[in-house]
Amino acid sequence: MLAGRCYRGTRISLEVAPLLQEPHPSSLLRISSNNSSQITCQRLLESRLISALDGCDCLPRLKHVHGHLIRAGLDQSSFLLAKLLRTLTNLDLPMDGYARQVFDQVRQPNSFLYTALIRGYALQGPTQLAFGLYTRMRLNETPPLTFTFSALFKASAGSLDARVGAQVHAQIVRLGGFDLDLYVNNTLIDMYIKCERFQDARKAFDAMPHRDVLSWTSLIVGYVRRGKMEEATELFDQMDEKDMVAWTTMITGNAQNRRPGDALQVFQQMWSMGIETDDVTLVGAISACAQLGSLRYGRWLRYIARQRGFDQNVVVGSALVDMFAKCGSLDEAREAFDMVKEKNVFTYSAMVVGLAMHGCALPAMQLFEEMVNSGTVPNGVTFIGVLTACSHAGYVDRGRQYFSTMREKYEIAPTADHYACMVDLLGRAGHVEEAFDLIQHMPADISLHGGVWGALLGACRLHGRPHIAEVAAKHLFALEPDGIGNYVLLANIYASAGMWGEVVRVRKMMREKGLKKNPGCSWVEAKDGRLHEFYASGKTHPRDSEIMTVLEGLLERLKQSGYVPILRCVLYDIGDREKQQLLKMHSEKLALAFSLIDTTHGSVIRIAKNLRTCEDCHLFFSLASKVSGREIVLRDNMRFHHFEDGLCSCGNFW
DNA sequence: GTAGGGTTAG
């Protein structure tokens, strides 16, 4: 059966096919009954050795069986040795020379032996040896098999260099036969995709006489990796037969290409068609949900994961941790974290970053210590997490320590992202000049990005220094010419310093570039699960008058408990009364008033906002949490604020 | 025997 499927239409393969049909243990006895007793014995021995090889799960056991094989005088049996080599490479062992030894002891290796070793090098490396062996095989006139070519393509894919693979491809086209084989072509496409030679993959795909769901999926992956989701979707729609992997590719692809809405739409379609969902599918959907920030949807995905026991899976679990943190529910993130028994660096990092985002600096650092004590080695992302935590809480010295530990103890070279964290940490704490200095003395091989200068500009917003801001902004405008936030920030810094002439100049720049300030927008999920949007100084919501009544009432109560609007948050040159009016109508305040009307009493109020929240709103929310007795989670474009009983998790430092 | 997987800052 195997031979029939794999060797169809190839001349060379027919010669070797009988070898493959030989040795299934159950058939051996049947064959042997018609032969002499000596052969029967030999066959039985072989059969035993085959079972023994199947049961090998570690190198010493394998070597033990190999010893038996030699003593039984079967050390030249190509079939058994090929089986042994395959088992050896499947054990995920490095090709430490033992496999080669076994191979070299054979006087006349056949196609299967060569292929087994080539496959070993393809899977475990070093991949170039696979090609060397293939050359020797051809020089010895040993006929190749379909397996041989798929192993070679795998080796090429593994080394991410398609050059040798492409030569082999040209050879099999000349040779004929093999280039029609489905399996060979599928591995060929996969190789070209992995080596980023999309055009060659497409050509191979188009030349195939028959394609299966794997060929289609591989090509779709090619589009996904190049960010071409329209083309990927078009191809996907053309598929007659779609399996779970094909669906998952589209879900993950959309998620990876920042199209979370489309990802979840595909997931829902798949779900409604009753197609099975596994851990990989869920990871894609959960990651999309994290980008979208929809807690309700996230809880549904967790329910599906739980039903199938995937919430204990380390990859699904890590994705859940990240998703719940990004959806504003730190408690559920922690719950998901605790469900994972064998946590790895992803699980810990997701939780550390989550805690940092929510302003829980001490727990983030504590968890980092816990992680190290558990023997999990932190990576660059984990350090982003602890550095952010330090930055949000103003722990400058701890941050400096982490920064040097990362290089000295863990030998992780800091990237521009880490420098951005350090600039943020120093700058936020008021060491603006030191932060500037750090940027100027960054190693030359690290290319600066917007994050580094952006952190410096943010520091200038907090602590003044319009002249440093100017330098930072100049770099930012070059790196991110359309980054509207940078212009707004610079204008605000000038406004705070009373440099109104400069404000006018920046506003003029924005006008000339055709950039418009994004209107402030907040949104909240109501009782019925629908999303409600609010715009600054809005009057766009159907229940506007009701909202205004609640807002006015709340404002009065807050004023009685000591609230004084922070007028300097308004960066326009206008009178105090107008400033108060503008502040009152910030979108998050409208969303909060609405939440007090239309959410279940006693539940956590969750509000998201597209821009950074202002100091006045922050104070307003702190006091509102006390007066209303409600817990409020506010997500702005940077991070989360947890307001409870008059206090915010960020300790008013953000 | 071949296709799909999670964490990053202003």
Side-chain angles (χ1 to χ4, degrees):
Chain A
M1 185 188 78
L2 199 57
R5 197 180 64 199
C6 294
Y7 300 95
R8 183 178 42 207
T10 48
R11 189 171 44 81
I12 301 167
S13 60
L14 289 176
E15 296 164 19
V16 286
L19 267 178
L20 240 180
Q21 290 166 345
E22 178 189 46
H24 194 270
S26 61
S27 64
L28 285 175
L29 289 175
R30 207 176 51 238
I31 296 166
S32 63
S33 62
N34 298 329
N35 286 313
S36 75
S37 62
Q38 195 190 352
I39 293 175
T40 308
C41 269
Q42 180 121 345
R43 299 282 179 170
L44 276 170
L45 196 56
E46 280 185 9
S47 147
R48 276 216 196 102
L49 286 166
I50 289 163
S51 318
L53 282 172
D54 279 335
C56 279
D57 54 4
C58 60
L59 188 59
R61 190 169 294 175
L62 194 83
K63 287 187 171 172
H64 181 75
V65 176
H66 187 206
H68 274 295
L69 203 141
I70 293 167
R71 279 191 294 280
L74 289 167
D75 59 325
Q76 295 299 317
S77 156
S78 289
F79 177 76
L80 279 172
L81 289 172
K83 172 103 189 156
L84 182 121
L85 286 179
R86 287 182 61 81
T87 312
L88 180 60
T89 48
N90 283 339
L91 287 175
D92 262 355
L93 298 161
M95 297 287 281
D96 62 353
Y98 178 56
R100 188 69 195 221
Q101 247 177 32
V102 172
F103 179 83
D104 286 341
Q105 281 162 10
V106 183
R107 283 183 293 276
Q108 278 184 314
N110 70 1
S111 306
F112 288 91
L113 266 179
Y114 270 111
T115 303
L117 198 63
I118 289 174
R119 180 175 169 274
Y121 287 129
L123 292 174
Q124 311 284 351
T127 47
Q128 13 359 330
L129 290 185
F131 299 108
L133 212 57
Y134 172 66
T135 312
R136 199 176 121 190
M137 180 178 182
R138 297 307 301 265
L139 287 174
N140 289 341
E141 295 184 346
T142 311
L145 313 168
T146 49
F147 293 134
T148 320
F149 294 115
S150 53
L152 289 169
F153 295 146
K154 206 184 235 311
S156 239
S159 64
L160 299 178
D161 181 358
R163 277 175 299 182
V164 193
Q167 284 172 23
V168 176
H169 180 199
Q171 260 182 38
I172 64 170
V173 171
R174 276 202 304 276
L175 215 62
F178 287 109
D179 61 335
L180 303 176
D181 185 86
L182 182 65
Y183 179 55
V184 168
N185 276 306
N186 281 348
T187 46
L188 178 67
I189 292 174
D190 187 49
M191 172 195 76
Y192 281 133
I193 297 292
K194 288 211 166 86
C195 300
E196 293 175 353
R197 285 176 55 161
F198 181 79
Q199 292 307 326
D200 293 309
R202 177 84 223 200
K203 259 188 241 164
F205 177 85
D206 289 335
M208 283 172 79
H210 305 287
R211 306 174 190 98
D212 66 358
V213 61
L214 279 84
S215 335
W216 285 86
T217 307
S218 291
L219 198 66
I220 290 177
V221 169
Y223 283 113
V224 165
R225 294 218 174 142
R226 290 158 71 240
K228 307 270 184 198
M229 285 316 295
E230 279 84 12
E231 287 90 334
T233 306
E234 203 180 306
L235 216 60
F236 181 69
D237 291 340
Q238 286 172 31
M239 287 173 79
D240 305 323
E241 177 208 346
K242 299 166 183 158
D243 64 0
M244 181 173 67
V245 177
W247 282 95
T248 303
T249 304
M250 291 305 293
I251 293 166
T252 309
N254 278 305
Q256 287 168 342
N257 286 296
R258 306 270 132 194
R259 295 166 55 145
D262 293 333
L264 292 182
Q265 217 180 326
V266 177
F267 179 76
Q268 241 155 350
Q269 214 180 331
M270 176 184 181
W271 182 259
S272 66
M273 289 172 73
I275 292 158
E276 193 42 44
T277 293
D278 75 353
D279 48 342
V280 186
T281 321
L282 279 168
V283 165
I286 292 167
S287 151
C289 189
Q291 292 173 44
L292 223 53
S294 164
L295 186 60
R296 188 175 273 255
Y297 207 110
R299 285 178 176 155
W300 180 57
L301 292 172
R302 174 184 56 193
Y303 168 76
I304 297 172
R306 267 190 192 160
Q307 263 188 336
R308 291 159 172 71
F310 289 137
D311 55 340
Q312 296 175 36
N313 171 306
V314 61
V315 184
V316 177
S318 305
L320 284 171
V321 170
D322 170 62
M323 182 271 291
F324 278 121
K326 286 189 177 140
C327 293
S329 181
L330 211 46
D331 292 343
E332 281 158 292
R334 181 76 212 199
E335 219 175 274
F337 178 80
D338 290 334
M339 280 307 293
V340 182
K341 293 289 164 288
E342 287 180 31
K343 303 173 181 65
N344 65 12
V345 62
F346 284 87
T347 330
Y348 278 107
S349 301
M351 195 68 224
V352 169
V353 171
L355 287 164
M357 264 192 327
H358 284 262
C360 306
L362 285 174
M365 292 191 268
Q366 242 165 26
L367 189 67
F368 180 83
E369 299 309 324
E370 231 179 275
M371 165 183 182
V372 172
N373 291 336
S374 78
T376 310
V377 182
N379 65 13
V381 180
T382 330
F383 278 101
I384 296 277
V386 279
L387 290 175
T388 315
C390 291
S391 162
H392 286 166
Y395 296 131
V396 177
D397 290 330
R398 293 290 295 271
R400 284 200 181 104
Q401 265 173 30
Y402 281 125
F403 193 63
S404 56
T405 311
M406 121 181 212
R407 278 184 295 201
E408 285 153 21
K409 189 169 171 195
Y410 297 101
E411 293 176 355
I412 301 170
T415 63
D417 297 334
H418 296 104
Y419 275 94
C421 286
M422 283 308 286
V423 170
D424 188 51
L425 169 73
L426 295 166
R428 237 182 246 278
H431 309 289
V432 185
E433 282 77 12
E434 195 186 335
F436 189 26
D437 200 57
L438 184 70
I439 297 180
Q440 286 168 317
H441 290 96
M442 265 173 67
D445 58 326
I446 300 177
S447 61
L448 279 162
H449 61 206
V452 185
W453 291 113
L456 189 64
L457 194 62
C460 295
R461 189 194 60 85
L462 283 172
H463 303 288
R465 316 287 204 286
H467 298 297
I468 295 183
E470 207 158 304
V471 180
K474 215 174 87 185
H475 284 100
L476 267 174
F477 294 161
L479 288 164
E480 301 172 351
D482 299 327
I484 175 80
N486 302 329
Y487 295 88
V488 176
L489 213 52
L490 183 63
N492 289 354
I493 293 165
Y494 284 137
S496 301
M499 299 162 72
W500 299 105
E502 295 299 309
V503 176
V504 172
R505 193 174 61 85
V506 178
R507 295 233 164 97
K508 198 174 148 219
M509 263 167 78
M510 288 169 70
R511 254 201 317 279
E512 281 167 3
K513 285 182 181 281
L515 297 172
K516 267 200 157 162
K517 199 171 155 179
N518 287 332
C521 170
S522 296
W523 58 98
V524 66
E525 246 177 32
K527 266 186 208 156
D528 60 0
R530 280 173 52 189
L531 218 57
H532 292 250
E533 280 184 329
F534 301 90
Y535 290 90
S537 21
K539 308 234 188 269
T540 50
H541 197 274
R543 294 172 71 177
D544 221 47
S545 61
E546 219 180 321
I547 291 167
M548 285 317 293
T549 312
V550 172
L551 186 58
E552 294 290 354
L554 183 60
L555 197 63
E556 271 318 301
R557 286 171 71 193
L558 294 189
K559 279 183 173 165
Q560 279 162 23
S561 61
Y563 166 68
V564 181
I566 306 175
L567 298 181
R568 71 184 136 80
C569 289
V570 179
L571 298 157
Y572 296 104
D573 205 9
I574 51 173
D576 286 0
R577 184 176 287 273
E578 286 90 343
K579 283 186 181 174
Q580 283 205 27
Q581 194 57 31
L582 279 180
L583 281 179
K584 186 173 76 183
M585 299 298 282
H586 276 183
S587 65
E588 55 268 59
K589 292 195 182 91
L590 299 174
L592 177 60
F594 172 77
S595 304
L596 291 171
I597 309 170
D598 200 337
T599 50
T600 313
H601 189 72
S603 66
V604 179
I605 295 173
R606 293 173 199 280
I607 296 170
K609 166 165 191 175
N610 65 338
L611 304 174
R612 195 176 187 283
T613 196
C614 78
E615 241 176 297
D616 181 66
C617 284
H618 195 269
L619 174 66
F620 188 95
F621 271 54
S622 302
L623 296 170
S625 71
K626 192 174 178 71
V627 167
S628 67
R630 298 282 293 267
E631 200 182 326
I632 309 165
V633 177
L634 172 66
R635 187 188 88 181
D636 67 12
N637 62 346
M638 295 294 163
R639 50 171 296 171
F640 287 92
H641 297 272
H642 278 246
F643 301 95
E644 201 175 355
D645 200 26
L647 295 173
C648 179
S649 62
C650 76
N652 296 337
F653 189 91
W654 86 102

